Amino acid sequence: MRLLTTRRFSTLALTVLMGAACATPARAQIFIPPETNDAAFDEGTSRYLKELNSSKLFEPVGPYSRDFVPVESLRRTPGSSPEPGPVTRVIQDDRVWVVPPSSATRDSSLQDGSAFNPSSPEDNSVVLSRPGEPPRAAAPSGTFSTVGYGQLATGGNFRALIATRRIVPGTPTTGSTIVPQVVTGFPTNANNMFLTGVSANGTVAAGYYGTLNPSTTVAFALNVSTGAITTLPLAAGDLRATPSKLTPDGGFIVGTSYQTSTDPTVANDNNRIIRWTRSGTGYTAATIGGFPGAFRTIANSISADGTAIVGTYFDATRNTRPFRWTQAGGFQDLGSLPGQLTGQAIGLNNDGSVVVGSGGQAFIWTAADGMKPLRSLTGSGFSTANAITPNGSFIGGASYDGNFVNGIALLWTKDGETIKLRDLLVISGVDVTGWVFNSVDRIVRSSDGTYTIMGNGTRNGVGTGFIFFWKRAAGPPPAITTQPQAQAAAAGGSAVLSVVATGATAYQWQRNGTAITGATNATLTLANPQAANAGSYTVVVSNGESSVTSTAAALTVAPTISRLTNVSVRTTAGTGANILIVGFTLGGGGKNVLLRAVGPTLGTFGVPGTLDDPRLALFNAASAQTHQNDDWGGGAALTSAFDAVGAFRLPAASKDAVLLNYLAAGGYTAQVSGAAGTSGVVLLEAYDSDAGSPLARYTNLSARNQVGTGGNILIVGFNITGNGPKNLLIRAVGPGLAQFGVTGTLADPQLAIFNSSGTQTNQNDDWGGGAALAATFTSVGAFNLPAASKDAALSITLQPGSYTAQVSGIANSTGVALAEIYELP
């Protein structure tokens, strides 16, 4: 308890004024590319501070020394050589660090408003003490607000104070101070008004005031722009409450509420967390409650979305303990540092996943690593971490000597690297003559990439506060060694864009200048691209400090063009009604078609019982014969056509039949019979003989024949050519043919699809009568099948390649069947 009280009153004793720039502010200017990512900039800052700690070591000095030592007094470590040119001498911990001059300066300014003299009791001015949190989108350009409270030099009453000022970088203001304004509008019986926090966007402040007759405490919210004061309601059972922190937009306010004491020896007993939520122009109150078993729970900070709160609770032995509360998980004790029993959680990052505070020594806590100490200065009796950047990688606080007298303002990186704030200012080119920096109390990252660091200290021996604006110069950007290349992809296929860069830690791909969600790797793979994915692709490559954008790579997406290019049917060609009949339809225009009826040449492949002399006839949709052939004749033109479509060659004197003709769009039937009424095994082939990717294509293929057993089942082969998948309807119709007067049909056909490796990919026995499949029949002009029929049907999607549809009878049954293949949209 002594620790909390001592720290609080040591803060109140300091004069802290929201600063305008001095008449001649100390600044060092450099053009710095704008930063748009908190994590990237903070990561770069962490690396920069770590690099400072990797500079050359020199002779030890006292860690609480206030000044820099002359270079001639340094005794270099063995083996080190003099630095060329001027150097900066930095006291860091118990060593002197020497930082060589850098070609990049930093855009920095230090502002002080210490016009009020708290040592003069005759002065009726107020003393602004406890700085609030400035708006993120403010310093050093924009509207900057801070809040606090001050005490009248006579009378002792406190007054709520707020200061708002437009600051323009590089333009000195008249005078060295901004006078804070006393907040008005309180009831006449109000006394001791306090402002304890302001939203990061500078729109809402919060605080509390006391009243006389009756004596109570009232929590309120302040509209910074209008000055309107809104009383914050209490939750059921609470007697009073005090706000402590606001979310960046002022949507949530967290505080501590007080109930009836259960321990008359302890003041403010039985208090708990209260959270106010903005509702319209006011706020509603909800009690979060207290840490289980604790008699006192104090809220110190709240996450950006209001779902996480950190603070301190008192256990049964009155030890202070740090806690985190989350809306999803409730209260959690954060533990303690080795050798410590007490602690307090003071700040947290935007999402509440990183917590900082003090347990005698400054700490950082995460769920993965638990509580870890942040390095204090040698000889420190106490250190505390008070502030943290939105993504949790940059921390501020203080380290105090063993007598708890001298405080040294410190900055830590997320991995524990430490630097004194004073050293950072000197390295940044800021004149710190007369300044002592005791503590960092707030760190806010502005939207323009500037840090606003607020704290307290002294200037020329007078207690004061400071506001320090710092923007670290960006380091060299990564170098792209291999630019993304233009890609041409097929719709439904894939496209891969890649970049090779040195010194890169992050990537963000863009299409037509807009970032692609989740595209944060060196390689961008676009699966199943469509026409909407076409465009100009670039990638922004960064290293946490600087970034470079690649040259543009155009992605073109060709439409999916897949088509049936050939069909083949191998079966027994009989006589009369049992000859082989194959039908096909041409859509999209006319095309060159190669038809072959192969009988005797099959014998050379070991096929027995072949048709010795097949005869091929072609009929149009009007059943008129348009072409016919008996023996193909061995011509060179036909041989070249075989080679062009990948068909095996035929002996020049063979009795096989061939037709090569241009056919107009429409339906056709090819019939194969044996000369002189003979029968035997035959292979009928229909090839797309056009070069390239013509729009004209086979839209329907069918074969009707007697289905036997074993090697005499009906086998239909087909090819899909193109750059994407093809949707097909495949049917095996047996009993469904009876409606057309066909006799001897296959009573229960079974349909199986095999790929070019001989693996079965799809199968159907009875089609089932489903409404969706029946609608598909209608969409392609196929005749209807009775819902309860034993016919087989499949609606499937196949990738380009070669396939076989096999039609057989259940239980080795035989009969006439029709195999059909339809193109689907």
Side-chain angles (χ1 to χ4, degrees), residues 292-679:
F295 76 95
R296 180 177 298 174
T297 304
I298 300 171
N300 290 331
S301 193
I302 186 169
S303 64
D305 61 1
T307 62
I309 297 169
V310 298
T312 307
Y313 77 92
F314 290 73
D315 64 16
T317 60
R318 303 303 193 257
N319 285 322
T320 58
R321 302 284 298 178
F323 75 84
R324 182 181 72 145
W325 173 89
T326 62
Q327 195 159 297
F331 282 97
Q332 176 185 13
D333 185 303
L334 300 185
S336 58
L337 293 172
Q340 299 288 337
L341 296 176
T342 62
Q344 54 180 323
I346 301 173
L348 73 171
N349 67 330
N350 263 5
D351 64 7
S353 62
V354 185
V355 182
V356 297
S358 177
Q361 183 176 1
F363 70 76
I364 181 172
W365 178 95
T366 62
D369 298 330
M371 187 168 291
K372 295 175 63 177
L374 295 169
R375 187 165 65 92
S376 303
L377 298 181
T378 301
S380 172
F382 171 76
S383 62
T384 176
N386 303 324
I388 186 169
T389 50
N391 78 327
S393 65
F394 191 18
I395 304 158
S399 185
Y400 297 87
D401 63 14
N403 297 320
F404 202 73
V405 174
N406 293 313
I408 299 294
L410 295 180
L411 297 171
W412 292 275
T413 65
K414 64 181 178 181
D415 55 359
E417 295 293 335
T418 314
I419 189 170
K420 294 178 185 177
L421 177 66
R422 178 187 178 94
D423 298 347
L424 177 62
L425 268 63
V426 172
I427 294 168
S428 300
V430 177
D431 182 3
V432 297
T433 303
W435 279 91
V436 173
F437 302 98
N438 293 122
S439 175
V440 173
D441 296 321
R442 296 283 189 274
I443 303 176
V444 178
R445 176 140 194 291
S446 304
S447 60
D448 64 355
T450 303
Y451 284 113
T452 304
I453 303 172
M454 305 179 67
N456 60 70
T458 63
R459 188 181 189 191
N460 298 324
V462 178
T464 187
F466 64 86
I467 300 171
F468 169 52
F469 306 130
W470 184 68
K471 180 184 285 188
R472 185 180 55 79
I480 296 179
T481 57
T482 302
Q483 298 283 353
Q485 300 299 308
Q487 299 286 312
S494 65
V496 178
L497 295 162
S498 62
V499 67
V500 178
T502 59
T505 59
Y507 304 86
Q508 177 59 65
W509 287 90
Q510 301 176 334
R511 176 183 170 272
N512 296 337
T514 301
I516 303 172
T517 302
T520 55
N521 295 315
T523 298
L524 173 64
T525 300
L526 299 171
N528 190 28
Q530 302 299 319
N533 298 117
S536 176
Y537 284 77
T538 55
V539 57
V540 179
V541 182
S542 61
N543 59 10
E545 300 181 27
S546 302
S547 62
V548 62
T549 302
S550 72
T551 58
L555 173 67
T556 56
V557 181
T560 299
I561 301 176
S562 295
R563 65 191 194 281
L564 292 165
T565 52
N566 75 282
V567 63
S568 61
V569 180
R570 198 195 85 171
T571 188
T572 300
T575 60
N578 292 324
I579 63 173
L580 175 58
I581 302 173
V582 174
F584 60 90
T585 303
L586 300 178
K591 72 184 303 80
N592 293 302
V593 174
L594 172 66
L595 299 174
R596 305 202 309 178
V598 183
T601 301
L602 289 181
T604 63
F605 296 100
V607 176
T610 60
L611 186 62
D612 292 334
D613 189 2
R615 180 178 294 165
L616 177 60
L618 183 65
F619 297 81
N620 62 19
S623 299
Q625 180 174 307
T626 59
H627 304 84
Q628 73 85 28
N629 178 256
D630 186 1
D631 302 333
W632 76 283
L638 286 179
T639 300
S640 296
F642 301 164
D643 294 341
V645 299
F648 59 85
R649 289 191 175 188
L650 302 176
S654 77
K655 291 289 188 178
D656 305 297
V658 177
L659 288 172
L660 176 61
N661 298 100
Y662 176 84
L663 302 179
Y668 296 87
T669 301
Q671 297 183 6
V672 180
S673 58
T678 57
S679 62

